[in-house]
Amino acid sequence: MAIYWRPGCTFCAVLTNSVRRYADRAAWVNIWKDPEAAAFVRSVNGGNETVPTVVIDGVAHTNPAPLTVRKALRALV
């Protein structure tokens, strides 16, 4: 699972706090430090760098509910 985020994003902070216990099970990608990641986020969000964008089982989710991400992370072993 990949979680695309950027510093200063309130929604990213909420997600981070919500999944803290399982955070190490995901790859956290800062789109401001990774141009390819930023391009990917734009490609799945109509040209916008909307974060958090979370890829769960190969499907990109834009600003998903923290519960959805927490459940997916818990399922990873």
Side-chain angles (χ1 to χ4, degrees):
M1 174 183 305
I3 299 174
Y4 297 90
W5 68 285
R6 67 171 171 75
C9 168
T10 304
F11 297 106
C12 296
V14 169
L15 180 63
T16 301
N17 287 332
S18 177
V19 303
R20 185 170 308 268
R21 182 174 177 188
Y22 307 100
D24 63 338
R25 296 182 183 186
W28 292 79
V29 185
N30 179 344
I31 66 166
W32 283 358
K33 290 191 174 190
D34 186 334
E36 290 180 19
F40 169 75
V41 168
R42 287 191 303 272
S43 78
V44 297
N45 289 300
N48 299 310
E49 290 184 354
T50 307
V51 288
T53 295
V54 182
V55 178
I56 302 171
D57 294 328
V59 178
H61 300 267
T62 303
N63 197 15
L67 180 61
T68 300
V69 179
R70 197 167 46 246
K71 283 181 178 180
L73 288 170
R74 272 195 311 232
L76 297 175
V77 178

